[in-house]
Amino acid sequence: MIDLFGADRPTLENYFLELEDKPFRAVQLVKWIHQRGEYDFAKMSDFPKTLRTQLSNDEIFQLPQIEKVVIDYDGVVKWLFRLHDDNIIETVFIPENNRGTLCISSQVGCYLDCRFCATALQGFNRNLASAEIIAQVWLARQQLSEISATEEWKNKRWNDLPLSSKVTNVVLMGMGEPLLNVKQVMPAVRLMLDDNAYGLSKRKVTISTAGIAPMMSSLPQECEASLALSLHSAIDSVRDILVPLNKKYDIKTLMSACWDYIKAHNHRRHILFEYVMLKGVNDDDKHVRALIRLLGDFPAKINLIPFNPYPKLPYQCSSMKTIHRFQDQLKKRDINTTIRKTRGNQIQAACGQLSGEVQDRTNRLTRLKTIEFA
Ligand code: SAH
């Protein structure tokens, strides 16, 4: 018994060898499921009938159900997926004109307790299986082909141009801490990067971590994905409060792990540092200076994230004036710094607003006719 849906190619090659079949079946199966989107083994016409039956008997994965789909005015799509054990996870698609970013979850809830994040309020339930992680990409792609055929979608614009409905980028920035679920996250990421599956570029699949230092160091041995670190402060005493995990892996330890990652990639990659802007907490000159000292000679990109409010979170977003000032000071030191555009906040789909809660379980929505346009 195996999750065929979430198995990467090497795992499937072993599986077929154990069945005394050819390892190239692994490529065929990956193509059927992830490229053609066919998950009915009976329809896999280039497999012998006995093998098709064997696959059906061995597969244990149940595809998540679409509990709800909400589409924001700017085309951001949020799905609530119901898992086999009735847990609910969230996945968000953020379309621009020539790219589409899918933000996926890696755990049900989160074990960490970052003080400004809605997922933290929910606590930790369990790790997602690799099949549940890759299913978010599979389902989103299938849904987007339906959604993009609707008139409502075709009328939506971003910068006065039509929206992309293709998943070109994946970020593990949804619910959960991906580097606390490496065993299940890696096969899913390998499928995203596999040309026989989703064929995404290694620079366009990003694993975001609150700072599990040992796993950051060893990430390059596991997969080629890009790395983002949720830094939020370059001052330990402040980061200790915002990201309690900092008491275990402090900033110095994290930077050393960041250098391990860069060296393993022969200095050909950079790391994205995420920095949520919290009014009066981490947004003054003292913080900019600390950040410049920390990242001065590091191959870094900084992404300033305006804080997205959520009920019960005790913070406020810095003013746009403060955020721009913060950015200007970093840019003056040649540190590449962008400000994240807040999108999806009308439907509680923005960074840190994902909590998997379902308001109305009786109103069970499944197919396209049930999509809500906000
Ligand atoms: N556990 C991982 C991935 C999930 S969070 C991590 O910590 O990186 C994805 C990003 O959203 C992180 O940078 C996180 O700090 C940020 N985030 C969390 N809550 C937020 C909020 N309320 N407003 C803005 N960004 C938030």
Side-chain angles (χ1 to χ4, degrees):
M1 300 291 257
I2 175 177
D3 266 3
L4 294 168
F5 195 97
D8 57 8
R9 212 145 34 98
T11 310
L12 288 174
E13 278 167 8
N14 283 335
Y15 167 78
F16 284 109
L17 278 174
E18 271 169 32
L19 290 183
E20 295 182 357
D21 206 318
K22 317 273 185 319
F24 70 76
R25 296 276 185 224
V27 171
Q28 287 179 307
L29 185 60
V30 162
K31 280 189 173 169
W32 271 115
I33 298 178
H34 300 287
Q35 222 168 52
R36 300 187 208 173
E38 182 55 76
Y39 181 43
D40 180 353
F41 299 110
K43 294 195 182 136
M44 300 184 179
S45 49
D46 51 0
F47 288 159
K49 200 148 179 264
T50 47
L51 181 58
R52 287 184 236 168
T53 314
Q54 175 88 50
L55 295 174
S56 310
N57 291 342
D58 279 358
E59 175 62 301
I60 49 173
F61 179 59
Q62 291 171 32
L63 205 59
Q65 303 247 322
I66 297 157
E67 178 81 10
K68 189 167 182 173
V69 191
V70 194
I71 303 179
D72 211 344
Y73 70 97
D74 59 358
V76 169
V77 186
K78 176 164 97 166
W79 290 274
L80 297 187
F81 293 125
R82 181 184 286 274
L83 309 177
H84 68 88
D85 59 358
D86 279 344
N87 272 311
I88 303 272
I89 52 165
E90 303 196 11
T91 305
V92 178
F93 179 69
I94 307 131
E96 291 169 53
N97 307 125
N98 46 18
R99 67 178 205 168
T101 303
L102 193 69
C103 178
I104 64 172
S105 297
S106 56
Q107 297 181 316
V108 181
C110 190
Y111 187 73
L112 305 176
D113 200 13
C114 303
R115 283 300 139 80
F116 48 85
C117 179
T119 307
L121 296 173
Q122 191 195 18
F124 176 73
N125 185 293
R126 69 170 172 88
N127 279 329
L128 291 182
S130 67
E132 292 168 326
I133 299 168
I134 201 67
Q136 297 171 63
V137 187
W138 193 90
L139 285 163
R141 218 174 49 169
Q142 199 185 54
Q143 286 265 299
L144 285 167
S145 73
E146 290 183 38
I147 291 170
S148 60
T150 61
E151 281 311 308
E152 287 96 333
W153 181 269
K154 286 181 190 155
N155 290 334
K156 286 186 189 290
R157 290 284 177 278
W158 177 246
N159 294 335
D160 286 337
L161 294 167
L163 294 177
S164 164
S165 59
K166 294 259 174 312
V167 175
T168 59
N169 298 50
V170 174
V171 292
L172 282 97
M173 294 183 187
M175 296 161 68
E177 169 49 52
L179 294 189
L180 285 179
N181 185 17
V182 170
K183 217 169 139 229
Q184 300 297 326
V185 163
M186 290 311 153
V189 168
R190 282 185 216 115
L191 282 168
M192 292 172 210
L193 302 179
D194 187 339
D195 283 340
N196 297 297
Y198 298 90
L200 296 176
S201 141
K202 57 192 179 197
R203 289 172 207 279
K204 296 186 175 177
V205 175
T206 304
I207 296 176
S208 178
T209 180
I212 314 291
M215 298 299 160
M216 292 162 64
S217 299
S218 61
L219 185 64
Q221 281 104 62
E222 298 279 351
C223 76
E224 294 243 88
S226 298
L227 180 62
L229 172 63
S230 295
L231 185 65
H232 310 315
S233 174
I235 300 173
D236 274 315
S237 58
V238 176
R239 195 170 192 271
D240 278 348
I241 296 167
L242 297 177
V243 184
L245 177 70
N246 197 64
K247 292 184 206 131
K248 185 161 171 134
Y249 303 117
D250 65 6
I251 295 172
K252 191 161 168 253
T253 310
L254 290 179
M255 287 316 289
S256 152
C258 286
W259 277 114
D260 289 342
Y261 174 90
I262 295 296
K263 284 181 201 150
H265 282 295
N266 292 321
H267 296 259
R268 290 200 193 98
R269 306 285 286 270
H270 65 267
I271 290 178
L272 179 73
F273 291 83
E274 296 161 278
Y275 197 106
V276 62
M277 297 297 293
L278 303 168
K279 187 177 192 168
V281 175
N282 63 355
D283 61 354
D284 61 8
D285 287 355
K286 189 176 79 184
H287 276 87
V288 186
R289 284 198 297 273
L291 198 52
I292 291 169
R293 265 199 308 281
L294 186 71
L295 297 183
D297 60 348
F298 191 88
K301 265 192 192 173
I302 300 182
N303 194 214
L304 303 177
I305 314 175
F307 169 68
N308 294 307
Y310 192 86
K312 298 202 200 112
L313 294 179
Y315 294 104
Q316 283 177 301
C317 184
S318 312
S319 70
M320 275 328 275
K321 197 169 150 225
T322 305
I323 298 178
H324 281 289
R325 192 181 135 80
F326 204 90
Q327 179 190 35
D328 289 344
Q329 285 170 279
L330 292 165
K331 278 184 153 177
K332 266 192 214 136
R333 299 302 182 104
D334 287 329
I335 304 177
N336 184 343
T337 309
T338 50
I339 300 174
R340 189 172 294 176
K341 286 194 189 70
T342 296
R343 296 183 63 190
N345 53 330
Q346 308 251 331
I347 55 171
Q348 297 280 300
C351 300
Q353 292 182 322
L354 305 188
S355 68
E357 71 182 335
V358 180
Q359 304 294 351
D360 181 6
R361 285 180 194 233
T362 53
N363 183 15
R364 189 146 177 178
L365 305 168
T366 43
R367 301 298 293 175
L368 193 59
K369 57 180 181 305
T370 63
I371 289 174
E372 282 175 22
F373 283 93

